[in-house]
Each structure stands twice: as structure tokens, then as C-alpha cells.
Amino acid sequence: PNKIEDLFNKSDEVKEKYSFFHFFPFVNQPCKNSHHHMTADVIYETLKKDNPALSLGTVYRNLNQLADHEMIQKISIPGHPDRFDATTHNHFHFYCTSCHDIKDLFFEGLYEAAGLVEKETGARIDHSDMSFHGLCADCKDVAVN
């Protein structure tokens, strides 16, 4: 079972303790329905249409709490707004420095990097957070022409 299912199976008392729990379905839906990793502002604009009383601060606060509890993933790129990802299992990202799009990467060879680090350092890797930065295929084609 994943962390989201675990929270949904908790007692009502536990759910009340985590006020963001009630917010999760609203935030998670735009993240899951989008192939893009959305910013809090974009999520807010998406949700505001059907929830006019919603505040931007509520969206930011709840997104950060959901990320802290590993129900969504926060992607931080220095100099740019944080993005949020509904895919919580281990994967990597490619960030286009031109169009600022972020793509999920699930290449087998990338998962082997942790093992190489452990072998070389003698350390134990519990989690890795790796991203690649450059030009996506579309932006690379534009730059070449």
C-alpha cells in the first residue's frame, strides 16, 4: 500500500488532525490530470474556478503539507517557482532551461546510480533526488535552426 492509501484508511480522528487531508483530492486532481508539473499559482487558478472562496495561501500551505507527508512531490528549481508532481514513487526529472517544462524520467540506468554511490563511498543511500537540465527536443530543434 502507498502513503496516500494509508492516509485514506486512517480513522476520522487521524484525518481531522491533518487538515490538509481534506484538501488532497482537490489538489491531487489537477496534478494527476496534467502532464505538466504545475506551480501553486497554476493549481490555484485551476481550483479557483469551482471554489471561489479559495485563497492562494491555502493552496501553498496545503501543497507544502502534502509534500511534507509524501502525498505529492515538490520539485524545486533555483530561481523558479516550486512545481508539484502527483507521481510520488522514485523517479527523476528533466528540466528544459528554455521552455521550463519538466518531464518525468523512468530509465532503468538512472536507478543504478544509487548503487554506484554506495559501492564507491560505503554509504547507505535511502533516497535520491536527481534531475537533468538542458534543452528539450523541441527547444533543441529550434536552437539548431
Side-chain angles (χ1 to χ4, degrees), residues 70-124:
E70 299 177 359
M71 295 174 73
I72 60 175
Q73 184 179 16
K74 180 168 38 173
I75 305 166
S76 297
I77 305 216
H80 298 278
D82 290 336
R83 306 276 190 94
F84 295 90
D85 188 353
T87 305
T88 57
H89 60 277
N90 192 24
H91 66 288
F92 306 94
H93 294 103
F94 174 82
Y95 171 72
C96 180
T97 55
S98 180
C99 70
H100 308 291
D101 194 21
I102 297 175
K103 303 261 190 236
D104 289 331
L105 303 176
F106 300 97
F107 304 117
E108 191 61 39
L110 296 176
Y111 295 100
E112 296 169 6
L116 294 172
V117 171
E118 286 181 336
K119 182 179 176 184
E120 291 298 318
T121 65
R124 185 187 83 206

